[in-house]
Amino acid sequence: KWQAQLYYAGQSRYIGVFDTREKAALAYEIFREKLKTDSKPPSERSMQDEAVRVAREAAFQGVGERDLRQQQQQQVVVGVVVT
């Protein structure tokens, strides 16, 4: 497994883990280009987080893999207790 990450807006940003070095490198390049072309680094943290989320999605789509972190978040089940 190969991990990709990038330094953006003063922080190290996790991109994801990929099966091959080539996919990790491609994801890094897509992520970097997406952040570079969309806008200048935003000053507000929420805007930075949104830019990183969008770039991460683009990276995973570009290499044809699913973001396991996102998939795990979607599988969270909310339980209701009736008393």
Side-chain angles (χ1 to χ4, degrees), residues 7-53:
Y7 195 76
Y8 171 73
Q11 294 183 358
S12 178
R13 304 298 180 138
Y14 173 81
I15 300 171
V17 175
F18 302 89
D19 290 333
T20 66
R21 178 175 55 179
E22 292 78 12
K23 285 185 177 183
L26 178 58
Y28 173 91
E29 290 300 325
I30 293 168
F31 190 91
R32 184 180 63 81
E33 283 299 315
K34 184 73 173 166
L35 290 176
K36 187 171 94 175
T37 58
D38 279 357
S39 65
K40 295 180 182 176
S43 58
E44 293 183 33
R45 182 169 175 87
S46 63
M47 292 174 67
Q48 292 173 0
D49 291 344
E50 179 62 15
V52 168
R53 185 192 66 75

